Structure formats: C-alpha cells, structure tokens
C-alpha cells in the first residue's frame, strides 16, 4: 500500500510540482484545487500515465465544511493519510496597509491561516498514534515574507505566513510524541502564477536583483525541500524551517 498524501492547492505552481515529485517517490497523492478542475485533472492524468496514483479533490480551504468533505473523500478513495502539505495560499493586489480592507484580510486569513489550521487538525486526527494512527508528516508552506514583512506590497500576506510559522512551532511540539512531524518551507521569489494573481506578473524578474543568487527559484526546487521533509529521510526532523529563497 502506498502512503497517502494530501496537497492543498495542487492544481498548479508549487503544489503541482510537489504532487509530481511525491508521486514519483511512491506517494498516492490527493490533488486539491479550488476552481481549476481541468488543471487538477490533467495533473492527475499525468501522474497516472507515469504509473503513479492520484485523485483530484475540489475544496475551498477557506471553508471548514468543504475541508471536512475533502478529508472524507480522501479517506474513502485513498485511505488514511500519512502526509499533508498545507500549500494553498493567496496574495492580493499590492496595497499599503492604510488602503487594505477588512474583507481582503478576512479572505486572506481564512485561506492562508484558518484553512491550514483546519487541515492540520484533520490530519492529526488521522495520523496521531494517540488516535490509533500510524504517525505522519505535515509540511506547511510559509514564505520568506514572514521574515521580510512585504512592506508596501502585502503586509497582511506576510502576517498570515507568520501565523503559519508560530503554528508550525507549537503543533510540532504538541504532537512530537504522537508520531507526527511538523515542518515548514519558506519559499522566496518563486516563478509561479501567484504573482500575476496579485497584479504583478513580472515580480520575479523585477525583484531578482534582491536575491543573493540573482534569480528567482522554480516550483520544482521548492518541491524538493517539501518532499524531503515528508519523507522518512527526515525522520528526526521536526519544527524545522527550510529557507528555499536563494539566500534572501
Ligand atoms: P499559485 O501558482 O497561485 O497556485 C495556487 C494554488 O492554490 C492553485 O492550485 C489554486 O487552485 C490553489 N488555491 C487557491 N486558493 C485556494 C483555496 N481557497 N482552496 C484551495 N486551493 C486554493 O501559488 P504558488 O506560487 O504555487 O504558491 C503556493 C504556496 O507557496 C502558497 O501558500 C504561497 O503563499 C507560497 N509561496 C509562494 C511564493 C512564490 O513566490 N510563488 C513565495 C513564498 C510562498 P485553483 O487554481 O483551482 O484556484
């Protein structure tokens, strides 16, 4: 039986690259998406064509009821998970804090923060040896923005990722003796469509001079760190942050 991995926000970008790599390394992968069903299904087909196991699961992680439905669907179709990647995340258009609205913050926090908390809670219920599980690994996708603050662009996004960092530290300690490891990856400037969704399609090119390596990273480079943290090769590693940010 293959170990089962749920990746939120896996229809494109870092989540999709992680799904491909994890499937190659023997995970049965649940590819969660919010709205882009065709991208999620074509990724599943690509994994299956290469001999891997994958399903697509729709759910908006900003909605608790949809998260519960997603976990039930994964239980039924693939079995009990032993891996979770809390990857789904959004930015918003560039704006100073003085111009940001309550509704913008609410959406950002629901998806980036509450969604990750709730998915982790559901994962712990299934993985914890205290609940009859066999342990597992949770990887939260934070951001270098949690350290940098993203002034003038999206301080709210940076703050949402700081919440993920504190959650990673606390949950890692809380479940360390229940067979569950909890770690995070902090990507830097990574070449995905998230920047266009925030109205800055050239953000990676425009800011790459700020990166000591003088380039943006790829989704595949971040996936390598995530899949390592998921794997047994990281068996004594918990409460750790991997900076996949080219030195920034
Ligand atoms: P992306 O290319 O914009 O992809 C986002 C993915 O998340 C898509 O698959 C999207 O699915 C899904 N998604 C969005 N809202 C969702 C929701 N409410 N529920 C479920 N899925 C949702 O993003 P990315 O650049 O790969 O980023 C992935 C993660 O890395 C995020 O947490 C991001 O904050 C973090 N990160 C990225 C960078 C970077 O430079 N790219 C840097 C630091 C951290 P649909 O297409 O179906 O909506």
């Amino acid at each position: 039986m293959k170990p089962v991995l749920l990746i939120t926000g896996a229809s494109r970008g870092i989540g999709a690259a992680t799904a491909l790599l994890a499937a190659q390394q023997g995970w049965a992968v649940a590819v969660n998406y919010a709205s882009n069903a065709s991208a999620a299904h074509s990724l599943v087909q690509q994994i299956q064509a290469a001999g891997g196991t994958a399903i697509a699961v729709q759910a908006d992680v900003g909605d608790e009821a949809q998260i519960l439905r997603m976990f039930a669907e994964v239980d039924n179709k693939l079995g009990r998970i032993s891996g979770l990647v809390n990857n789904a995340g959004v930015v918003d258009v560039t704006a100073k804090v003085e111009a940001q609205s309550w509704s913008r913050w609410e959406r950002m926090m629901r998806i980036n923060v509450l969604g990750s908390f709730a998915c982790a809670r559901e994962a712990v219920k299934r993985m914890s040896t205290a609940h009859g599980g066999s342990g597992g690994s949770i990887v939260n996708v934070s951001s270098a923005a949690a350290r940098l603050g993203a002034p003038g662009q999206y301080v709210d996004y940076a703050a949402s990722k700081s919440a993920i960092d504190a959650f990673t530290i606390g949950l890692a300690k809380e479940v360390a003796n229940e067979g569950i490891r909890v770690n995070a990856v902090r990507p830097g400037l990574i070449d995905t469509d998230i920047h266009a969704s925030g109205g800055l399609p050239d953000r990676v090119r425009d800011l790459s001079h700020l990166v000591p390596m003088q380039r943006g990273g790829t989704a595949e480079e971040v996936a390598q760190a995530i899949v390592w943290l998921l794997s047994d090769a990281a068996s004594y590693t918990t409460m750790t942050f991997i900076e996949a940010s080219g030195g920034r």
Side-chain angles (χ1 to χ4, degrees), residues 8-15 32-37 59-62 86-91 107 111-112 141-145 157 161 186-195 197 203-204 219:
T8 64
S11 57
R12 70 181 195 194
I14 293 168
N32 160 251
Y33 66 98
S35 54
N36 196 342
D60 174 354
V61 301
N86 269 322
N87 168 77
V90 292
V91 295
R107 169 181 171 266
I111 296 172
N112 292 7
V141 181
S142 174
S143 171
Y157 169 80
K161 294 299 188 178
R186 288 199 197 103
L189 271 175
I190 309 301
D191 195 6
T192 72
D193 291 334
I194 200 171
H195 308 289
S197 73
R203 185 165 179 266
V204 173

mmCIF file of all heavy atoms in Angstrom, residues 8-15 32-37 59-62 86-91 107 111-112 141-145 157 161 186-195 197 203-204 219, ligand 1:
data_model
loop_
_atom_site.group_PDB
_atom_site.id
_atom_site.type_symbol
_atom_site.label_atom_id
_atom_site.label_comp_id
_atom_site.label_asym_id
_atom_site.label_seq_id
_atom_site.Cartn_x
_atom_site.Cartn_y
_atom_site.Cartn_z
ATOM 1 N N THR A 8 -2.819 20.582 -0.527
ATOM 2 C CA THR A 8 -3.819 21.605 -0.862
ATOM 3 C C THR A 8 -3.236 22.544 -1.925
ATOM 4 O O THR A 8 -2.020 22.775 -1.980
ATOM 5 C CB THR A 8 -4.241 22.401 0.392
ATOM 6 O OG1 THR A 8 -3.118 23.125 0.909
ATOM 7 C CG2 THR A 8 -4.809 21.483 1.461
ATOM 8 N N GLY A 9 -4.133 23.048 -2.766
ATOM 9 C CA GLY A 9 -3.699 23.984 -3.801
ATOM 10 C C GLY A 9 -2.677 23.380 -4.745
ATOM 11 O O GLY A 9 -1.628 23.968 -5.023
ATOM 12 N N ALA A 10 -3.009 22.197 -5.281
ATOM 13 C CA ALA A 10 -2.010 21.466 -6.073
ATOM 14 C C ALA A 10 -2.301 21.471 -7.568
ATOM 15 O O ALA A 10 -1.685 20.719 -8.313
ATOM 16 C CB ALA A 10 -1.894 20.034 -5.559
ATOM 17 N N SER A 11 -3.224 22.312 -8.020
ATOM 18 C CA SER A 11 -3.532 22.299 -9.452
ATOM 19 C C SER A 11 -2.458 22.998 -10.279
ATOM 20 O O SER A 11 -2.400 22.836 -11.497
ATOM 21 C CB SER A 11 -4.899 22.933 -9.715
ATOM 22 O OG SER A 11 -4.942 24.252 -9.216
ATOM 23 N N ARG A 12 -1.620 23.809 -9.627
ATOM 24 C CA ARG A 12 -0.547 24.493 -10.373
ATOM 25 C C ARG A 12 0.571 24.879 -9.401
ATOM 26 O O ARG A 12 0.474 24.659 -8.186
ATOM 27 C CB ARG A 12 -1.092 25.728 -11.094
ATOM 28 C CG ARG A 12 -1.463 26.852 -10.147
ATOM 29 C CD ARG A 12 -2.018 28.067 -10.894
ATOM 30 N NE ARG A 12 -2.023 29.239 -10.026
ATOM 31 C CZ ARG A 12 -2.673 30.358 -10.281
ATOM 32 N NH1 ARG A 12 -3.393 30.471 -11.380
ATOM 33 N NH2 ARG A 12 -2.599 31.389 -9.455
ATOM 34 N N GLY A 13 1.615 25.472 -9.934
ATOM 35 C CA GLY A 13 2.665 26.062 -9.110
ATOM 36 C C GLY A 13 3.382 25.055 -8.212
ATOM 37 O O GLY A 13 3.644 23.910 -8.592
ATOM 38 N N ILE A 14 3.707 25.509 -7.005
ATOM 39 C CA ILE A 14 4.491 24.702 -6.062
ATOM 40 C C ILE A 14 3.743 23.421 -5.691
ATOM 41 O O ILE A 14 4.340 22.349 -5.582
ATOM 42 C CB ILE A 14 4.819 25.543 -4.802
ATOM 43 C CG1 ILE A 14 5.778 26.683 -5.171
ATOM 44 C CG2 ILE A 14 5.405 24.676 -3.692
ATOM 45 C CD1 ILE A 14 5.942 27.755 -4.088
ATOM 46 N N GLY A 15 2.431 23.517 -5.521
ATOM 47 C CA GLY A 15 1.637 22.337 -5.164
ATOM 48 C C GLY A 15 1.683 21.279 -6.251
ATOM 49 O O GLY A 15 1.834 20.077 -5.967
ATOM 50 N N ASN A 32 -5.609 18.592 -4.301
ATOM 51 C CA ASN A 32 -6.722 19.516 -4.012
ATOM 52 C C ASN A 32 -6.620 20.757 -4.906
ATOM 53 O O ASN A 32 -5.531 21.220 -5.228
ATOM 54 C CB ASN A 32 -6.676 19.942 -2.535
ATOM 55 C CG ASN A 32 -7.460 21.226 -2.281
ATOM 56 O OD1 ASN A 32 -6.863 22.280 -2.022
ATOM 57 N ND2 ASN A 32 -8.768 21.177 -2.390
ATOM 58 N N TYR A 33 -7.779 21.262 -5.290
ATOM 59 C CA TYR A 33 -7.845 22.512 -6.052
ATOM 60 C C TYR A 33 -9.101 23.251 -5.617
ATOM 61 O O TYR A 33 -10.025 22.657 -5.041
ATOM 62 C CB TYR A 33 -7.862 22.243 -7.558
ATOM 63 C CG TYR A 33 -9.105 21.533 -8.027
ATOM 64 C CD1 TYR A 33 -10.172 22.241 -8.591
ATOM 65 C CD2 TYR A 33 -9.243 20.149 -7.878
ATOM 66 C CE1 TYR A 33 -11.327 21.597 -8.990
ATOM 67 C CE2 TYR A 33 -10.398 19.501 -8.270
ATOM 68 C CZ TYR A 33 -11.438 20.221 -8.828
ATOM 69 O OH TYR A 33 -12.591 19.594 -9.215
ATOM 70 N N ALA A 34 -9.142 24.553 -5.925
ATOM 71 C CA ALA A 34 -10.329 25.341 -5.583
ATOM 72 C C ALA A 34 -11.263 25.458 -6.772
ATOM 73 O O ALA A 34 -12.444 25.124 -6.684
ATOM 74 C CB ALA A 34 -9.918 26.731 -5.092
ATOM 75 N N SER A 35 -10.734 25.923 -7.916
ATOM 76 C CA SER A 35 -11.620 26.191 -9.054
ATOM 77 C C SER A 35 -11.141 25.620 -10.375
ATOM 78 O O SER A 35 -11.947 25.393 -11.275
ATOM 79 C CB SER A 35 -11.818 27.710 -9.202
ATOM 80 O OG SER A 35 -10.555 28.328 -9.291
ATOM 81 N N ASN A 36 -9.850 25.364 -10.504
ATOM 82 C CA ASN A 36 -9.323 24.955 -11.812
ATOM 83 C C ASN A 36 -9.345 23.427 -11.967
ATOM 84 O O ASN A 36 -8.307 22.754 -11.913
ATOM 85 C CB ASN A 36 -7.909 25.513 -12.006
ATOM 86 C CG ASN A 36 -7.479 25.456 -13.458
ATOM 87 O OD1 ASN A 36 -8.055 24.730 -14.267
ATOM 88 N ND2 ASN A 36 -6.463 26.226 -13.794
ATOM 89 N N ALA A 37 -10.553 22.897 -12.202
ATOM 90 C CA ALA A 37 -10.725 21.440 -12.300
ATOM 91 C C ALA A 37 -9.908 20.858 -13.446
ATOM 92 O O ALA A 37 -9.308 19.783 -13.310
ATOM 93 C CB ALA A 37 -12.210 21.104 -12.475
ATOM 94 N N ALA A 59 -12.018 21.521 -3.184
ATOM 95 C CA ALA A 59 -12.457 22.120 -1.916
ATOM 96 C C ALA A 59 -11.800 23.483 -1.775
ATOM 97 O O ALA A 59 -10.606 23.619 -2.068
ATOM 98 C CB ALA A 59 -12.075 21.252 -0.708
ATOM 99 N N ASP A 60 -12.566 24.444 -1.335
ATOM 100 C CA ASP A 60 -12.025 25.754 -0.982
ATOM 101 C C ASP A 60 -11.570 25.664 0.471
ATOM 102 O O ASP A 60 -12.398 25.473 1.374
ATOM 103 C CB ASP A 60 -13.133 26.808 -1.150
ATOM 104 C CG ASP A 60 -12.716 28.191 -0.660
ATOM 105 O OD1 ASP A 60 -11.616 28.335 -0.091
ATOM 106 O OD2 ASP A 60 -13.516 29.124 -0.837
ATOM 107 N N VAL A 61 -10.258 25.785 0.718
ATOM 108 C CA VAL A 61 -9.770 25.622 2.089
ATOM 109 C C VAL A 61 -10.099 26.829 2.970
ATOM 110 O O VAL A 61 -9.772 26.826 4.157
ATOM 111 C CB VAL A 61 -8.253 25.302 2.156
ATOM 112 C CG1 VAL A 61 -7.933 24.026 1.401
ATOM 113 C CG2 VAL A 61 -7.415 26.472 1.669
ATOM 114 N N GLY A 62 -10.767 27.812 2.402
ATOM 115 C CA GLY A 62 -11.264 28.914 3.214
ATOM 116 C C GLY A 62 -12.625 28.616 3.825
ATOM 117 O O GLY A 62 -13.251 29.506 4.419
ATOM 118 N N ASN A 86 0.234 21.687 3.533
ATOM 119 C CA ASN A 86 -0.625 22.873 3.571
ATOM 120 C C ASN A 86 -0.016 23.915 2.648
ATOM 121 O O ASN A 86 0.770 24.764 3.073
ATOM 122 C CB ASN A 86 -0.697 23.421 5.000
ATOM 123 C CG ASN A 86 -1.843 22.839 5.783
ATOM 124 O OD1 ASN A 86 -2.934 22.614 5.248
ATOM 125 N ND2 ASN A 86 -1.610 22.594 7.059
ATOM 126 N N ASN A 87 -0.370 23.803 1.369
ATOM 127 C CA ASN A 87 0.259 24.644 0.349
ATOM 128 C C ASN A 87 -0.650 25.751 -0.175
ATOM 129 O O ASN A 87 -0.169 26.802 -0.582
ATOM 130 C CB ASN A 87 0.724 23.752 -0.811
ATOM 131 C CG ASN A 87 1.125 24.563 -2.028
ATOM 132 O OD1 ASN A 87 2.201 25.149 -2.067
ATOM 133 N ND2 ASN A 87 0.244 24.623 -3.033
ATOM 134 N N ALA A 88 -1.972 25.534 -0.193
ATOM 135 C CA ALA A 88 -2.878 26.531 -0.789
ATOM 136 C C ALA A 88 -2.665 27.878 -0.107
ATOM 137 O O ALA A 88 -2.618 27.966 1.123
ATOM 138 C CB ALA A 88 -4.325 26.086 -0.631
ATOM 139 N N GLY A 89 -2.520 28.900 -0.916
ATOM 140 C CA GLY A 89 -2.328 30.233 -0.348
ATOM 141 C C GLY A 89 -2.586 31.279 -1.411
ATOM 142 O O GLY A 89 -2.456 31.009 -2.608
ATOM 143 N N VAL A 90 -2.968 32.455 -0.952
ATOM 144 C CA VAL A 90 -3.259 33.544 -1.888
ATOM 145 C C VAL A 90 -2.556 34.828 -1.436
ATOM 146 O O VAL A 90 -2.296 35.020 -0.251
ATOM 147 C CB VAL A 90 -4.780 33.814 -1.991
ATOM 148 C CG1 VAL A 90 -5.489 32.651 -2.673
ATOM 149 C CG2 VAL A 90 -5.392 34.100 -0.627
ATOM 150 N N VAL A 91 -2.266 35.669 -2.420
ATOM 151 C CA VAL A 91 -1.879 37.044 -2.140
ATOM 152 C C VAL A 91 -3.057 37.923 -2.556
ATOM 153 O O VAL A 91 -4.126 37.422 -2.895
ATOM 154 C CB VAL A 91 -0.592 37.457 -2.901
ATOM 155 C CG1 VAL A 91 0.606 36.661 -2.423
ATOM 156 C CG2 VAL A 91 -0.764 37.321 -4.403
ATOM 157 N N ARG A 107 -10.562 37.299 3.779
ATOM 158 C CA ARG A 107 -10.311 36.267 2.759
ATOM 159 C C ARG A 107 -8.902 35.692 2.934
ATOM 160 O O ARG A 107 -8.708 34.469 2.933
ATOM 161 C CB ARG A 107 -10.453 36.877 1.355
ATOM 162 C CG ARG A 107 -9.958 35.977 0.240
ATOM 163 C CD ARG A 107 -10.116 36.649 -1.130
ATOM 164 N NE ARG A 107 -9.462 35.894 -2.186
ATOM 165 C CZ ARG A 107 -8.224 36.137 -2.607
ATOM 166 N NH1 ARG A 107 -7.501 37.112 -2.075
ATOM 167 N NH2 ARG A 107 -7.688 35.408 -3.575
ATOM 168 N N ILE A 111 -8.174 31.657 4.056
ATOM 169 C CA ILE A 111 -7.499 30.701 3.174
ATOM 170 C C ILE A 111 -6.114 30.341 3.717
ATOM 171 O O ILE A 111 -5.769 29.170 3.882
ATOM 172 C CB ILE A 111 -7.398 31.263 1.737
ATOM 173 C CG1 ILE A 111 -8.801 31.438 1.150
ATOM 174 C CG2 ILE A 111 -6.533 30.359 0.857
ATOM 175 C CD1 ILE A 111 -8.845 32.172 -0.183
ATOM 176 N N ASN A 112 -5.299 31.371 3.998
ATOM 177 C CA ASN A 112 -3.891 31.114 4.341
ATOM 178 C C ASN A 112 -3.719 30.565 5.760
ATOM 179 O O ASN A 112 -2.823 29.767 6.004
ATOM 180 C CB ASN A 112 -3.063 32.400 4.223
ATOM 181 C CG ASN A 112 -2.930 32.873 2.786
ATOM 182 O OD1 ASN A 112 -3.554 32.329 1.885
ATOM 183 N ND2 ASN A 112 -2.139 33.897 2.573
ATOM 184 N N VAL A 141 3.495 25.374 4.016
ATOM 185 C CA VAL A 141 4.209 26.260 3.099
ATOM 186 C C VAL A 141 4.028 27.694 3.591
ATOM 187 O O VAL A 141 2.951 28.279 3.477
ATOM 188 C CB VAL A 141 3.735 26.085 1.647
ATOM 189 C CG1 VAL A 141 4.529 27.017 0.729
ATOM 190 C CG2 VAL A 141 3.918 24.628 1.213
ATOM 191 N N SER A 142 5.090 28.189 4.193
ATOM 192 C CA SER A 142 5.112 29.559 4.696
ATOM 193 C C SER A 142 5.645 30.460 3.586
ATOM 194 O O SER A 142 5.362 30.244 2.404
ATOM 195 C CB SER A 142 5.984 29.599 5.961
ATOM 196 O OG SER A 142 6.147 30.908 6.421
ATOM 197 N N SER A 143 6.425 31.458 3.937
ATOM 198 C CA SER A 143 7.008 32.345 2.929
ATOM 199 C C SER A 143 8.143 33.131 3.563
ATOM 200 O O SER A 143 8.093 33.464 4.759
ATOM 201 C CB SER A 143 5.956 33.335 2.407
ATOM 202 O OG SER A 143 6.575 34.317 1.582
ATOM 203 N N ALA A 144 9.137 33.483 2.745
ATOM 204 C CA ALA A 144 10.168 34.408 3.225
ATOM 205 C C ALA A 144 9.538 35.729 3.647
ATOM 206 O O ALA A 144 10.108 36.471 4.454
ATOM 207 C CB ALA A 144 11.207 34.637 2.126
ATOM 208 N N ALA A 145 8.346 36.009 3.131
ATOM 209 C CA ALA A 145 7.636 37.247 3.518
ATOM 210 C C ALA A 145 7.401 37.301 5.024
ATOM 211 O O ALA A 145 7.329 38.391 5.601
ATOM 212 C CB ALA A 145 6.302 37.338 2.778
ATOM 213 N N TYR A 157 -0.416 39.527 3.935
ATOM 214 C CA TYR A 157 0.032 38.196 3.498
ATOM 215 C C TYR A 157 1.222 37.742 4.350
ATOM 216 O O TYR A 157 1.263 36.605 4.837
ATOM 217 C CB TYR A 157 0.430 38.262 2.021
ATOM 218 C CG TYR A 157 1.149 37.043 1.500
ATOM 219 C CD1 TYR A 157 0.457 35.894 1.146
ATOM 220 C CD2 TYR A 157 2.547 37.035 1.348
ATOM 221 C CE1 TYR A 157 1.126 34.774 0.667
ATOM 222 C CE2 TYR A 157 3.225 35.928 0.872
ATOM 223 C CZ TYR A 157 2.504 34.800 0.534
ATOM 224 O OH TYR A 157 3.168 33.690 0.055
ATOM 225 N N LYS A 161 1.532 34.444 6.965
ATOM 226 C CA LYS A 161 2.575 33.411 6.950
ATOM 227 C C LYS A 161 3.312 33.342 8.291
ATOM 228 O O LYS A 161 3.795 32.278 8.689
ATOM 229 C CB LYS A 161 3.538 33.654 5.783
ATOM 230 C CG LYS A 161 2.874 33.489 4.404
ATOM 231 C CD LYS A 161 2.325 32.082 4.198
ATOM 232 C CE LYS A 161 1.840 31.842 2.783
ATOM 233 N NZ LYS A 161 1.359 30.456 2.570
ATOM 234 N N ARG A 186 9.952 27.881 3.698
ATOM 235 C CA ARG A 186 9.719 29.300 3.389
ATOM 236 C C ARG A 186 10.279 29.599 1.994
ATOM 237 O O ARG A 186 11.468 29.916 1.860
ATOM 238 C CB ARG A 186 10.405 30.203 4.408
ATOM 239 C CG ARG A 186 9.775 30.239 5.782
ATOM 240 C CD ARG A 186 10.254 31.501 6.523
ATOM 241 N NE ARG A 186 10.030 31.404 7.937
ATOM 242 C CZ ARG A 186 10.972 31.132 8.852
ATOM 243 N NH1 ARG A 186 12.224 30.920 8.488
ATOM 244 N NH2 ARG A 186 10.673 31.103 10.124
ATOM 245 N N PRO A 187 9.432 29.516 0.968
ATOM 246 C CA PRO A 187 9.921 29.883 -0.367
ATOM 247 C C PRO A 187 10.187 31.385 -0.438
ATOM 248 O O PRO A 187 9.549 32.181 0.253
ATOM 249 C CB PRO A 187 8.755 29.509 -1.295
ATOM 250 C CG PRO A 187 7.857 28.621 -0.484
ATOM 251 C CD PRO A 187 8.040 29.061 0.927
ATOM 252 N N GLY A 188 11.131 31.740 -1.307
ATOM 253 C CA GLY A 188 11.365 33.159 -1.582
ATOM 254 C C GLY A 188 10.609 33.552 -2.830
ATOM 255 O O GLY A 188 9.419 33.275 -2.959
ATOM 256 N N LEU A 189 11.315 34.180 -3.771
ATOM 257 C CA LEU A 189 10.673 34.589 -5.031
ATOM 258 C C LEU A 189 10.658 33.394 -5.975
ATOM 259 O O LEU A 189 11.698 33.023 -6.519
ATOM 260 C CB LEU A 189 11.509 35.668 -5.701
ATOM 261 C CG LEU A 189 11.271 37.122 -5.374
ATOM 262 C CD1 LEU A 189 12.322 37.955 -6.103
ATOM 263 C CD2 LEU A 189 9.874 37.557 -5.766
ATOM 264 N N ILE A 190 9.487 32.812 -6.163
ATOM 265 C CA ILE A 190 9.388 31.597 -6.975
ATOM 266 C C ILE A 190 8.549 31.890 -8.209
ATOM 267 O O ILE A 190 7.506 32.552 -8.124
ATOM 268 C CB ILE A 190 8.759 30.444 -6.157
ATOM 269 C CG1 ILE A 190 9.484 30.260 -4.808
ATOM 270 C CG2 ILE A 190 8.779 29.151 -6.962
ATOM 271 C CD1 ILE A 190 10.963 29.948 -4.872
ATOM 272 N N ASP A 191 9.001 31.379 -9.328
ATOM 273 C CA ASP A 191 8.374 31.707 -10.605
ATOM 274 C C ASP A 191 7.089 30.903 -10.815
ATOM 275 O O ASP A 191 7.113 29.820 -11.384
ATOM 276 C CB ASP A 191 9.382 31.412 -11.732
ATOM 277 C CG ASP A 191 8.943 32.064 -13.023
ATOM 278 O OD1 ASP A 191 7.945 32.817 -13.012
ATOM 279 O OD2 ASP A 191 9.607 31.821 -14.049
ATOM 280 N N THR A 192 5.973 31.431 -10.297
ATOM 281 C CA THR A 192 4.654 30.801 -10.478
ATOM 282 C C THR A 192 3.645 31.903 -10.836
ATOM 283 O O THR A 192 3.979 33.084 -10.833
ATOM 284 C CB THR A 192 4.155 30.103 -9.191
ATOM 285 O OG1 THR A 192 3.781 31.118 -8.241
ATOM 286 C CG2 THR A 192 5.197 29.185 -8.584
ATOM 287 N N ASP A 193 2.403 31.472 -11.063
ATOM 288 C CA ASP A 193 1.356 32.426 -11.449
ATOM 289 C C ASP A 193 0.800 33.233 -10.278
ATOM 290 O O ASP A 193 -0.082 34.068 -10.467
ATOM 291 C CB ASP A 193 0.202 31.677 -12.125
ATOM 292 C CG ASP A 193 0.605 31.134 -13.482
ATOM 293 O OD1 ASP A 193 1.524 31.718 -14.101
ATOM 294 O OD2 ASP A 193 0.025 30.122 -13.917
ATOM 295 N N ILE A 194 1.281 32.974 -9.047
ATOM 296 C CA ILE A 194 0.729 33.704 -7.900
ATOM 297 C C ILE A 194 0.976 35.202 -8.046
ATOM 298 O O ILE A 194 0.157 36.017 -7.619
ATOM 299 C CB ILE A 194 1.317 33.172 -6.563
ATOM 300 C CG1 ILE A 194 0.406 33.559 -5.387
ATOM 301 C CG2 ILE A 194 2.726 33.659 -6.324
ATOM 302 C CD1 ILE A 194 0.776 32.900 -4.051
ATOM 303 N N HIS A 195 2.086 35.562 -8.677
ATOM 304 C CA HIS A 195 2.434 36.985 -8.786
ATOM 305 C C HIS A 195 1.470 37.715 -9.726
ATOM 306 O O HIS A 195 1.052 38.836 -9.447
ATOM 307 C CB HIS A 195 3.884 37.131 -9.247
ATOM 308 C CG HIS A 195 4.827 36.325 -8.402
ATOM 309 N ND1 HIS A 195 5.116 36.667 -7.102
ATOM 310 C CD2 HIS A 195 5.486 35.171 -8.651
ATOM 311 C CE1 HIS A 195 5.939 35.750 -6.588
ATOM 312 N NE2 HIS A 195 6.172 34.834 -7.501
ATOM 313 N N SER A 197 -1.564 36.815 -10.149
ATOM 314 C CA SER A 197 -2.846 36.912 -9.442
ATOM 315 C C SER A 197 -2.845 38.110 -8.489
ATOM 316 O O SER A 197 -3.900 38.604 -8.110
ATOM 317 C CB SER A 197 -3.158 35.615 -8.682
ATOM 318 O OG SER A 197 -2.336 35.497 -7.536
ATOM 319 N N ARG A 203 6.946 40.181 -11.243
ATOM 320 C CA ARG A 203 7.531 40.407 -9.916
ATOM 321 C C ARG A 203 8.846 39.647 -9.723
ATOM 322 O O ARG A 203 9.800 40.195 -9.165
ATOM 323 C CB ARG A 203 6.515 39.992 -8.838
ATOM 324 C CG ARG A 203 6.967 40.287 -7.435
ATOM 325 C CD ARG A 203 5.814 40.208 -6.435
ATOM 326 N NE ARG A 203 6.293 40.487 -5.085
ATOM 327 C CZ ARG A 203 6.671 39.549 -4.219
ATOM 328 N NH1 ARG A 203 6.597 38.275 -4.560
ATOM 329 N NH2 ARG A 203 7.116 39.884 -3.034
ATOM 330 N N VAL A 204 8.906 38.399 -10.205
ATOM 331 C CA VAL A 204 10.132 37.611 -10.009
ATOM 332 C C VAL A 204 11.292 38.261 -10.759
ATOM 333 O O VAL A 204 12.381 38.468 -10.204
ATOM 334 C CB VAL A 204 9.917 36.147 -10.453
ATOM 335 C CG1 VAL A 204 11.230 35.378 -10.411
ATOM 336 C CG2 VAL A 204 8.887 35.472 -9.552
ATOM 337 N N ALA A 219 9.320 26.187 -8.976
ATOM 338 C CA ALA A 219 8.419 25.384 -8.140
ATOM 339 C C ALA A 219 9.058 24.033 -7.818
ATOM 340 O O ALA A 219 8.910 23.501 -6.711
ATOM 341 C CB ALA A 219 7.085 25.195 -8.857
HETATM 342 P P1 LIG B 1 -0.245 29.612 -7.305
HETATM 343 O O1 LIG B 1 0.580 29.321 -8.513
HETATM 344 O O2 LIG B 1 -1.072 30.847 -7.277
HETATM 345 O O3 LIG B 1 -1.178 28.345 -7.027
HETATM 346 C C1 LIG B 1 -2.095 28.412 -6.000
HETATM 347 C C2 LIG B 1 -2.787 27.089 -5.868
HETATM 348 O O4 LIG B 1 -3.637 27.181 -4.706
HETATM 349 C C3 LIG B 1 -3.675 26.745 -7.034
HETATM 350 O O5 LIG B 1 -3.616 25.354 -7.239
HETATM 351 C C4 LIG B 1 -5.062 27.148 -6.549
HETATM 352 O O6 LIG B 1 -6.103 26.332 -7.093
HETATM 353 C C5 LIG B 1 -4.948 26.868 -5.079
HETATM 354 N N1 LIG B 1 -5.861 27.641 -4.270
HETATM 355 C C6 LIG B 1 -6.025 28.984 -4.225
HETATM 356 N N2 LIG B 1 -6.987 29.304 -3.349
HETATM 357 C C7 LIG B 1 -7.428 28.131 -2.840
HETATM 358 C C8 LIG B 1 -8.419 27.792 -1.909
HETATM 359 N N3 LIG B 1 -9.170 28.739 -1.314
HETATM 360 N N4 LIG B 1 -8.631 26.491 -1.635
HETATM 361 C C9 LIG B 1 -7.905 25.514 -2.231
HETATM 362 N N5 LIG B 1 -6.943 25.782 -3.120
HETATM 363 C C10 LIG B 1 -6.713 27.081 -3.415
HETATM 364 O O7 LIG B 1 0.663 29.670 -5.975
HETATM 365 P P2 LIG B 1 2.166 29.187 -5.680
HETATM 366 O O8 LIG B 1 3.081 30.290 -6.067
HETATM 367 O O9 LIG B 1 2.403 27.826 -6.182
HETATM 368 O O10 LIG B 1 2.135 29.201 -4.089
HETATM 369 C C11 LIG B 1 1.896 28.041 -3.320
HETATM 370 C C12 LIG B 1 2.186 28.381 -1.882
HETATM 371 O O11 LIG B 1 3.509 28.882 -1.760
HETATM 372 C C13 LIG B 1 1.280 29.461 -1.281
HETATM 373 O O12 LIG B 1 0.977 29.167 0.048
HETATM 374 C C14 LIG B 1 2.141 30.705 -1.360
HETATM 375 O O13 LIG B 1 1.759 31.662 -0.396
HETATM 376 C C15 LIG B 1 3.501 30.111 -1.082
HETATM 377 N N6 LIG B 1 4.609 30.946 -1.544
HETATM 378 C C16 LIG B 1 4.781 31.211 -2.866
HETATM 379 C C17 LIG B 1 5.838 32.012 -3.260
HETATM 380 C C18 LIG B 1 6.086 32.382 -4.698
HETATM 381 O O14 LIG B 1 6.944 33.264 -4.958
HETATM 382 N N7 LIG B 1 5.423 31.773 -5.670
HETATM 383 C C19 LIG B 1 6.728 32.519 -2.307
HETATM 384 C C20 LIG B 1 6.513 32.216 -0.976
HETATM 385 C C21 LIG B 1 5.470 31.424 -0.597
HETATM 386 P P3 LIG B 1 -7.127 26.864 -8.240
HETATM 387 O O15 LIG B 1 -6.251 27.259 -9.409
HETATM 388 O O16 LIG B 1 -8.006 25.720 -8.508
HETATM 389 O O17 LIG B 1 -7.820 28.045 -7.645
#
